[in-house]
């Protein structure tokens, strides 16, 4: 049966992601120097920022795949938007958790209603709601259309998250807002390596989950045909 | 808590989150494989 075939490239992407993340951990704990003002806790930045960036890319993928689905009615786009939303909620959730731990150490509070933090939390709830919506018991065509429309509208909050630290008075730093971000060369190399490593992880997870969703949809169709 | 411990807690949180999601993916794959085997058995019976 064609349904249980996964692309041979997928395990390779997963392997590269694993190796890249191991290198990223080495660079965080051994290679990158300790920042003078904040101390060693600043190293949370090396996974906090890649998680936040890839979650935004995830939600852009939901937006683009939802448009593609409405235009083509091809279910592969629906599977991709569902998968990207799941990974985006995971990554933005982890960015919120790591940011909260960092904030507790640096600001003395677990949470503050800062524009960047608030817009990120709103974004997390919007996409968590989108995932709940996808589980509703509706006819497949209708659910696909409703999910795609919500996937497009939900993206409205994403540029706000990105620009919030620049537009409003925020205690959250706008990373790379100034030229080079004021990072030491070793720090910059580490952050770039971690962005690439988490990118591979994002690709592997999204790809695998989208393949699972396509497989599940095909099994559902086959099961319906068998019963008919 | 010392600064190093805050860093380790944040790092552990990331790996716990990713690990939990991978576990869910593995469970989901098991369910799909079971459904495929079931359908193949139904096909063989016909």
């Amino acid at each position: 049966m064609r349904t249980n075939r996964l692309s041979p490239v997928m395990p390779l992407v997963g392997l590269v992601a694993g190796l890249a993340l191991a290198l990223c951990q080495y660079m965080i704990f051994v290679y990158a120097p300790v920042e003078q003002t904040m101390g060693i806790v600043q190293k949370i930045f090396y996974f906090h920022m890649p998680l936040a960036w890839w979650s935004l890319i995830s939600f852009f993928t939901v937006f683009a795949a939802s448009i593609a689905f409405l235009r083509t009615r091809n279910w592969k786009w629906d599977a991709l938007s569902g998968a990207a939303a799941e990974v985006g909620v995971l990554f933005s959730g982890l960015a919120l958790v790591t940011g909260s731990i960092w904030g507790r150490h640096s600001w003395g509070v677990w949470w503050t209603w800062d524009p960047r933090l608030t817009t990120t939390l709103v974004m997390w709830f919007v996409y968590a709601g989108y995932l709940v919506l996808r589980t509703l018991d509706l006819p497949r065509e209708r659910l696909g259309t409703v999910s795609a429309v919500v996937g497009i509208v939900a993206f409205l909050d994403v540029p706000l998250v990105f620009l919030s630290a620049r537009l409003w008075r925020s205690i959250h730093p706008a990373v790379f807002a100034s030229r080079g971000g004021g990072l030491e060369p070793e720090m910059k190399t580490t952050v770039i390596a971690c962005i690439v490593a988490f990118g591979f992880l994002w690709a592997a997870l999204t790809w695998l989950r989208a393949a699972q969703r396509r497989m599940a949809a095909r099994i559902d169709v086959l099961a319906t045909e068998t019963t008919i | 808590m010392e600064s190093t411990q805050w860093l380790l807690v944040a790092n552990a949180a990331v790996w716990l989150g990713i690990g939990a999601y991978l576990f869910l993916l593995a469970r989901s794959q098991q369910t799909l494989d079971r459904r495929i085997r079931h359908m193949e058995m139904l096909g063989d019976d016909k």
Side-chain angles (χ1 to χ4, degrees):
Chain A
M1 193 187 283
R2 197 178 166 272
T3 42
N4 57 359
R5 279 189 199 155
L6 292 175
S7 164
V9 184
M10 203 185 294
L12 190 68
V13 177
L15 181 70
V16 172
L19 292 172
L21 285 166
L23 176 70
C24 167
Q25 289 278 288
Y26 169 80
M27 290 179 87
I28 291 171
F29 289 99
V30 181
Y31 175 73
V34 174
E35 208 267 341
Q36 284 185 339
T37 318
M38 281 183 277
I40 199 165
V41 82
Q42 175 272 341
K43 291 187 179 213
I44 290 176
F45 167 74
Y46 299 119
F47 36 85
H48 173 73
M49 199 196 78
L51 284 166
W53 276 25
W54 282 103
S55 71
L56 297 183
I57 291 168
S58 251
F59 298 139
F60 176 74
T61 307
V62 176
F63 172 73
S66 298
I67 292 174
F69 175 75
L70 288 179
R71 287 180 66 133
T72 63
R73 292 280 156 187
N74 187 328
W75 289 96
K76 75 176 179 185
W77 298 120
D78 179 70
L80 178 63
S81 55
E86 272 185 27
V87 179
V89 167
L90 172 73
F91 276 26
S92 56
L94 291 174
L96 282 167
V97 169
T98 52
S100 180
I101 294 168
W102 193 359
R104 177 67 184 83
H105 179 272
S106 302
W107 304 330
V109 287
W110 291 104
W111 183 263
T112 177
W113 295 103
D114 170 84
R116 170 62 65 86
L117 277 67
T118 308
T119 49
T120 307
L121 185 67
V122 169
M123 179 181 75
W124 189 89
F125 275 112
V126 165
Y127 282 95
Y130 169 82
L131 289 176
V132 173
L133 171 86
R134 293 185 65 95
T135 63
L136 289 182
D137 191 18
L138 288 173
R140 192 179 181 221
E141 283 288 337
R142 193 167 172 198
L143 186 60
T145 308
V146 171
S147 302
V149 171
V150 174
I152 293 166
V153 176
F155 189 71
L156 283 173
D157 186 48
V158 176
L160 275 183
V161 173
F162 187 74
L163 297 171
S164 56
R166 294 167 179 81
L167 291 176
W168 298 296
R169 289 165 63 90
S170 173
I171 54 170
H172 191 285
V175 184
F176 297 136
S178 58
R179 185 180 283 260
L183 293 171
E184 293 288 321
E186 292 90 346
M187 290 178 167
K188 208 184 285 181
T189 311
T190 306
V191 78
I192 290 168
C194 290
I195 289 171
V196 173
F198 276 95
F200 278 116
L201 177 70
W202 176 84
L205 292 177
T206 309
W207 197 340
L208 177 61
R209 190 65 183 126
Q212 282 188 343
R213 282 181 173 273
R214 283 198 307 273
M215 201 185 286
R218 187 157 161 75
I219 293 170
D220 287 341
V221 170
L222 287 172
T224 316
E225 284 171 2
T226 312
T227 6
I228 291 168
Chain B
M1 210 161 41
E2 285 181 25
S3 297
T4 312
Q5 286 172 305
W6 287 105
L7 172 65
L8 291 175
V9 167
N11 195 45
V14 171
W15 293 111
L16 277 173
I18 291 167
Y21 188 64
L22 285 174
F23 176 75
L24 287 176
L25 288 186
R27 287 285 300 271
S28 172
Q29 191 63 43
Q30 278 179 345
T31 310
L32 287 172
D33 289 343
R34 205 178 310 122
R35 288 186 68 191
I36 290 170
R37 272 201 306 276
H38 180 68
M39 289 190 74
E40 281 173 345
M41 278 165 58
L42 285 175
D44 290 343
D45 289 344
K46 282 188 178 176

